[in-house]
Amino acid sequence: MAVTGWLESLRAAEKTALLQDGKRMVHYLFPDGKEMAEEYDEKTNELLVRKWRMKTSLGALGQWQLEVGEPAPSGAGSLGPELIKESNASPIFIRKDTKTSFQWRIRNLPYPKDVYGVSVAQKERCIIVRTTNKKYYKKFSIPDLDRYQLPLDDSALSFAHANCTLIISYKKPKEVMVAESELQKELKKVKMAHGADGDCKTQ
């Protein structure tokens, strides 16, 4: 089963854990050399950040690619040129999940709610956001569903608009909820290091 397959990949990965500033940080190193880093709220286990890194064709370490969470603020040294140049008035797309939903926020969209159309494109396995005034268009996938090889369900999709922010939610399938619960059990087995210099690897 695909869900079990991805969960087993996470279990088999070499894991490094660190507890700092109320956050549980977990680094995964997969057999193929890919790396995944996650940050969880220590108290709620809510996923705050997920990012990926893989080696380039020449074998060098590539840049971290953010999947969940907000980009680091200017001056943190981790922003790419395209983000540094981004205007404060331009739409800002981020993913910030909840316990029960995958959730995306698109800031700086001032149009009323009835202007937006949010739909599932089954063949492309993605979500499409468009406006009737043709001022905004966005297409994005749900990597979690791809990793678990689960279909997209139109009925799981909803959206709201407030304070110039479009909030798109996709209810997590029960298979994902169960797998995430199992992963949390697995992460509790990882010995936790404390402090900025802590580094503890486990298998």
Side-chain angles (χ1 to χ4, degrees), residues 3 58 66 94 163:
V3 173
L58 297 177
L66 192 66
I94 64 168
N163 300 319

Side-chain angles (χ1 to χ4, degrees), residues 102 104 117-121 126-128 140 142 153-159 168-171:
F102 304 121
W104 303 263
V118 182
S119 59
V120 168
C126 67
I127 294 173
I128 296 177
F140 58 94
I142 307 179
D153 181 3
D154 296 82
S155 65
L157 186 65
S158 63
F159 71 95
I168 302 165
S169 300
Y170 186 98
K171 187 177 179 181

Side-chain angles (χ1 to χ4, degrees), residues 149-190:
Q149 297 182 29
L150 293 171
L152 274 70
D153 181 3
D154 296 82
S155 65
L157 186 65
S158 63
F159 71 95
H161 185 268
N163 300 319
C164 294
T165 300
L166 185 66
I167 303 170
I168 302 165
S169 300
Y170 186 98
K171 187 177 179 181
K172 292 179 181 177
K174 62 181 180 180
E175 294 93 338
V176 172
M177 298 283 287
V178 170
E180 289 182 346
S181 177
E182 288 297 313
L183 177 60
Q184 289 304 315
K185 293 177 184 177
E186 187 71 22
L187 293 180
K188 287 180 180 178
K189 301 176 185 177
V190 180

Side-chain angles (χ1 to χ4, degrees), residues 12 14 17 28 36 39 48 60 87 90 96 116 119 131 135 154 159 171 182 185 191 198 203:
E14 183 179 325
Y28 304 77
M36 182 175 76
E39 293 182 14
L48 305 174
S87 167
S90 299
K96 192 173 183 180
Y116 304 98
S119 59
T131 58
K135 296 289 187 180
D154 296 82
F159 71 95
K171 187 177 179 181
E182 288 297 313
K185 293 177 184 177
K191 185 178 179 181
Q203 183 66 28

Side-chain angles (χ1 to χ4, degrees), residues 99-138:
K99 279 280 191 179
T100 58
S101 297
F102 304 121
Q103 194 171 91
W104 303 263
R105 295 169 182 260
I106 310 176
R107 298 171 181 161
N108 296 334
L109 287 180
Y111 319 115
K113 183 181 178 181
D114 58 9
V115 168
Y116 304 98
V118 182
S119 59
V120 168
Q122 294 288 355
K123 289 185 178 181
E124 297 180 78
R125 291 188 56 81
C126 67
I127 294 173
I128 296 177
V129 182
R130 51 167 59 90
T131 58
T132 56
N133 60 11
K134 298 183 180 180
K135 296 289 187 180
Y136 186 80
Y137 179 88
K138 180 76 175 179

